[in-house]
């Protein structure tokens, strides 16, 4: 049905018509076809900050200082000015419109990092229900750190990683969680996942998933650690049995000659050298073994089948490490396993590394599903039920309308076109599953990325929180409905184009989740001040 471009006509239509049940929010979002950030102020006078993102409720704009030491938080406001003429739109904006503080009000500036620590500028997690924010500071990486104390060989070490839980309303630091001589993927929140009030932090170096709870009081409380042990009393059970075994072995030791050697090792070194596999690895191996055992029903062929399918690849399974984790619900985790090299890359270019996915039940400590990264079964679930992988907090209203190929016919059609062009079905599946587990809060809930409203070039801009290669041409947002006209344009950088061709220019885009307001930030690799443009509805 034709819908008027006139905003007044659309409001009148809302008064006299009632949307179908369950579609009221979608009908309301169609107003964003009329309310667009169509006006641009180029090269705004603003402080030289690193602009991170708007919070999902739109209440705050989070920034960091250039020296990665301070957190600066702004409140989005709006440009206001007076005009004596009847038609103000024909006049130029006042000079104060070129100032950043005409659109944003600074609330506070807080020093988070110590002298030898730096704020991770790509890490930020927001808890909308309490307006809590989680930030991370760390020291420099040590790439050739020795693997001691159960650490994984080849994984770098960071002397100190500190997670700061902060109340954004007033900038008060409520609690901190510190990891020493560890490694957590902080870039783009890849090593940390938030679901409701539960927080999962993956220690890549020590292969441990730390589950914490964020209390309403602002405390970070340890719930459990999954890795070497799965249940809370596993360590107590093993230690008590080890003590009884040591007592038994000491009795035997008096009956042996002093130079007695067993399996090529002195007898008193057996305990320290023969360590158990970790608890999560034991669960994984037993699940794989049972699955292969049940595949062959003929008892005469079962032993040979298990030897070929399990024992031949046993060391490969043992060498798997945890790459990434996300919550599926409050009880189940989706865990990605792979090689050490692939875990350090942690990007879509790592899809050529062998990888596996496991669904782990934290309450029963059981692996309930296991897939290779080329499994068609897992891909079909991801294609049809993508929104279930984008798990969001129950209190979040903004994140429930992000377009995906399971809720948007337009996104599904794009996926079908890419799938039809691929030459290898297996490589296509690997490429698609490389995004699992989903990075926490990695997409913007802005309605201008709703593919039922607009189409745009996803190579230049998308809802995913990533830097893009800059272009001198404006990015067009075209209406999905007829007459499919260009509704507005977003152009990063100077109005006349960049005259500096010395280096590669990258752009980032920060869209407000509900207002027709956006920032485009263009920067070079030479650490020059960024060119910031403000896009808003005049």
């Amino acid at each position: 049905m034709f819908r008027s471009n006139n905003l007044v006509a659309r409001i009148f239509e809302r008064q006299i018509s009632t949307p179908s049940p369950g579609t009221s929010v979608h009908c309301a979002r169609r107003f964003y076809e009329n309310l667009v950030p169509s006006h641009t102020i180029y090269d705004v006078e603003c402080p030289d900050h690193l602009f991170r993102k708007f919070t999902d409720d739109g209440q705050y704009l989070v920034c960091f200082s250039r020296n990665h030491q301070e957190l600066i938080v702004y409140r989005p406001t709006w440009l206001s000015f007076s005009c004596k003429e009847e038609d103000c739109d024909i006049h130029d904006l006042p000079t104060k419109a070129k100032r950043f503080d005409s659109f944003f009000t600074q609330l506070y500036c807080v020093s988070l990092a110590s002298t030898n620590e730096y704020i991770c500028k790509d890490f930020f997690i927001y808890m909308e229900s309490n307006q809590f924010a989680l930030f991370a500071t760390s020291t420099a990486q040590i790439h050739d750190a020795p693997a001691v104390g159960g650490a994984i060989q080849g994984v770098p070490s960071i002397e100190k990683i500190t997670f700061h839980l902060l109340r954004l309303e007033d900038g008060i630091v409520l609690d901190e969680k510190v990891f020493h001589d560890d490694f957590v993927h902080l870039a783009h929140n890849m090593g940390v996942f938030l679901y409701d009030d539960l927080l999962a932090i993956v220690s890549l170096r020590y292969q441990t998933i730390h589950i914490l709870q964020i209390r309403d009081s602002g405390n970070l409380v340890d719930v459990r650690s999954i890795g070497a042990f799965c249940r809370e009393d596993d360590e107590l059970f093993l230690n008590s049995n080890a003590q009884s075994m040591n007592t038994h072995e000491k009795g035997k030791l008096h009956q042996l000659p002093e130079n007695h050697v067993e399996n090529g090792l002195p007898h008193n070194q057996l305990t320290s050298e023969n360590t158990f596999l970790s608890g999560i690895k034991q669960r994984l191996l037993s699940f794989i073994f049972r699955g292969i055992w049940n595949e062959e029903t003929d008892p005469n062929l079962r032993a040979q089948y298990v030897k070929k399918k399990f024992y031949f690849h046993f060391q490969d399974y043992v060498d798997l490490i945890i790459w990434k984790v996300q919550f599926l619900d409050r009880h189940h985790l989706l865990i990605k396993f792979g090689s050490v090299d692939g875990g350090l890359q942690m990007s879509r270019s790592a899809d050529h590394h062998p990888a596996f996915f496991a669904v782990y039940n934290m309450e029963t400590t059981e692996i309930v599903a296991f897939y290779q990264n080329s499994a068609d079964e897992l891909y079909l679930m991801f294609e049809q039920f993508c929104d279930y992988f984008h798990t969001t907090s129950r209190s979040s209203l903004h994140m429930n309308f992000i377009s995906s190929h399971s809720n948007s016919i337009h996104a599904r059609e794009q996926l079908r076109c890419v799938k039809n062009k691929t030459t290898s079905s297996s490589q296509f599946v690997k490429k698609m599953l490389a995004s699992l587990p989903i990075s926490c809060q990695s997409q913007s809930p802005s309605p201008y990325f709703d593919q039922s409203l607009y189409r745009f070039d996803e190579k230049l801009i998308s809802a995913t929180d990533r830097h893009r290669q800059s272009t001198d041409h404006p990015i067009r947002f075209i209406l999905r409905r007829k007459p499919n006209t260009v509704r507005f344009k977003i152009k990063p950088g100077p109005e006349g184009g960049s005259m500096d061709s010395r280096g590669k220019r990258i752009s980032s885009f920060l869209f407000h989740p509900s207002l027709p307001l956006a920032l485009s930030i263009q920067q070079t690799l030479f650490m020059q001040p960024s060119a910031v443009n403000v896009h808003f509805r005049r």
Side-chain angles (χ1 to χ4, degrees), residues 68-69 111-118 137 139 160 162 164:
H68 298 83
Q69 296 289 310
S111 179
L112 283 185
S114 60
T115 53
N116 62 337
E117 285 186 289
Y118 298 94
T137 60
T139 56
K160 184 181 180 183
T162 307
H164 308 263

Side-chain angles (χ1 to χ4, degrees), residues 282-490:
Q282 293 273 11
R283 296 288 197 276
L284 180 65
L285 290 173
S286 62
F287 182 85
I288 297 172
F289 178 84
R290 290 196 305 269
I292 295 175
W293 179 271
N294 294 330
E295 285 179 6
E296 180 57 63
T297 57
D298 189 344
N300 299 322
L301 301 177
R302 180 174 285 166
Q304 188 66 24
Y305 186 79
V306 171
K307 180 180 178 181
K308 178 182 177 181
K309 293 288 186 178
F310 181 76
Y311 291 110
F312 184 77
H313 300 285
F314 180 80
Q315 192 59 45
D316 296 329
Y317 293 135
V318 170
D319 293 338
L320 292 176
I321 67 168
I322 298 172
W323 282 2
K324 199 176 177 183
V325 167
Q326 76 164 92
F327 283 101
L328 296 177
D329 54 38
R330 294 188 68 87
H331 305 294
H332 292 87
L333 296 174
L334 177 63
I335 307 175
K336 188 174 187 177
F337 291 90
S339 64
V340 174
D341 294 336
L344 294 178
Q345 292 183 15
M346 289 296 291
S347 65
R348 296 189 68 89
S349 62
D351 57 4
H352 62 277
H353 289 277
F356 301 87
F357 300 93
V359 178
Y360 177 78
N361 187 319
M362 294 190 296
E363 301 301 321
T364 63
T365 71
E366 294 178 346
I367 302 286
V368 297
F370 182 72
Y371 306 95
Q372 196 167 355
N373 65 337
S374 59
D376 291 330
E377 182 183 357
L378 179 60
Y379 167 72
L380 290 175
M381 285 191 289
F382 180 56
E383 179 182 333
Q384 298 173 14
F385 307 103
C386 180
D387 292 346
Y388 288 90
F389 292 89
H390 288 272
T391 49
T392 59
S393 172
R394 288 192 295 265
S395 61
S396 176
L397 301 177
H398 308 84
M399 303 300 291
N400 295 327
F401 300 96
I402 294 177
S403 296
S404 69
H405 43 75
S406 63
N407 63 26
S408 169
I409 58 174
H410 307 288
R412 193 178 305 122
E413 184 62 29
Q414 288 181 356
L415 179 66
R416 188 178 294 113
C417 292
V418 174
K419 189 176 182 179
N420 293 336
K421 292 179 182 179
T422 187
T423 56
S424 172
S425 176
S426 176
Q427 289 301 319
F428 171 77
V429 170
K430 287 182 179 181
K431 185 176 181 180
M432 291 301 300
L433 295 183
S435 60
L436 293 180
I438 301 294
S439 294
C440 181
Q441 299 183 5
S442 61
Q443 292 187 301
S444 169
S446 170
Y448 302 108
F449 293 122
D450 188 338
Q451 296 199 30
S452 65
L453 302 178
Y454 294 99
R455 61 183 176 90
F456 42 85
D457 189 347
E458 292 200 51
K459 294 180 181 178
L460 301 178
I461 192 171
S462 74
T464 305
D465 180 21
R466 290 290 189 275
H467 294 292
R468 307 280 175 168
Q469 186 170 353
S470 190
T471 175
D472 289 332
H473 304 288
I475 302 170
R476 302 184 303 168
F477 284 75
I478 303 171
L479 284 175
R480 282 286 183 186
R481 69 175 179 89
K482 292 181 180 181
N484 306 119
T485 55
V486 177
R487 198 68 186 90
F488 67 97
K489 300 177 182 179
I490 297 290

Side-chain angles (χ1 to χ4, degrees), residues 44-61:
V44 175
E45 299 173 8
C46 65
D48 189 18
H49 294 334
L50 300 170
F51 298 94
R52 179 62 181 95
K53 68 181 296 185
F54 289 101
T55 54
D56 294 337
D57 56 7
Q59 295 293 317
Y60 307 97
L61 173 64

Side-chain angles (χ1 to χ4, degrees), residues 256-262 265-267:
L256 298 174
E258 292 185 2
N259 60 348
H260 179 76
V261 174
E262 185 174 318
L265 293 173
H267 191 274

